[in-house]
């Protein structure tokens, strides 16, 4: 497997947590469509879709019943906080270490918005469940 250098730490952890996803060689993320669906990088200060490179908001579309995983790529206090209706899921606690992860499974179609409980509107994302 190959990894782009910037995402190595987060990707390794995300892959470990998710049971492994083979990324295509050569282009890495390639700026869109190259990464696993449902993986989101938590950085300072952003949410970033591994799948399509959208950021603040990170916008991810998943199938109902799929799992979203956020992975901290650096030390820094952040959380996942639901901001919309329907409520996304349980909110995470504030975590602050590179390599921390948080996952939820969303079973009901809808659009779920979230932010960081520490940084508010500076860190946002949206998950569309189909
Ligand atoms: Cu934050």
């Amino acid at each position: 497997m190959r990894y782009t250098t910037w995402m190595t730490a987060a990707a390794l952890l995300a892959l470990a947590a998710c049971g492994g996803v083979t990324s295509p060689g050569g282009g890495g993320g390639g700026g869109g469509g190259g990464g696993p669906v449902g993986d989101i990088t938590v950085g300072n200060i952003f949410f970033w879709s591994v799948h399509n490179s959208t950021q603040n908001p990170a916008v991810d579309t998943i199938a109902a019943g799929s799992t979203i995983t956020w992975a901290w790529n650096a030390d820094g206090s952040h959380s996942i906080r639901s901001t919309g209706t329907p409520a996304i899921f349980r909110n995470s606690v504030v975590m602050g270490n590179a390599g921390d992860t948080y996952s939820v499974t969303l079973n009901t179609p809808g659009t779920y918005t979230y932010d960081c409980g520490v940084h508010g509107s500076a860190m946002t994302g949206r998950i569309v469940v189909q």
Side-chain angles (χ1 to χ4, degrees):
M1 285 201 265
R2 296 182 56 179
Y3 305 94
T4 53
T5 52
W6 64 265
M7 69 186 290
T8 300
L12 286 172
L13 287 153
L15 291 173
C18 293
V21 176
T22 303
S23 57
V37 173
D39 280 7
I40 301 168
T41 296
V42 181
N44 291 313
I45 296 172
F46 57 85
F47 291 115
W48 188 90
S49 168
V50 173
H51 181 63
N52 60 32
S53 301
T54 51
Q55 177 176 309
N56 293 338
V59 181
D60 289 274
T61 300
I62 64 172
S66 298
T67 298
I68 287 273
T69 299
W70 289 265
W72 275 239
N73 74 343
D75 289 350
S77 296
H78 308 288
S79 71
I80 313 303
R81 179 176 65 178
S82 180
T83 56
T85 303
I88 208 169
F89 37 64
R90 67 195 189 280
N91 295 338
S92 79
V93 298
V94 174
M95 295 183 277
N97 297 315
D100 284 341
T101 63
Y102 183 70
S103 295
V104 295
T105 299
L106 297 174
N107 295 312
T108 305
T111 298
Y112 299 78
T113 57
Y114 62 92
D115 68 5
C116 167
V118 177
H119 296 103
S121 61
M123 291 178 65
T124 61
R126 180 165 74 244
I127 302 164
V128 179
V129 179
Q130 296 182 329

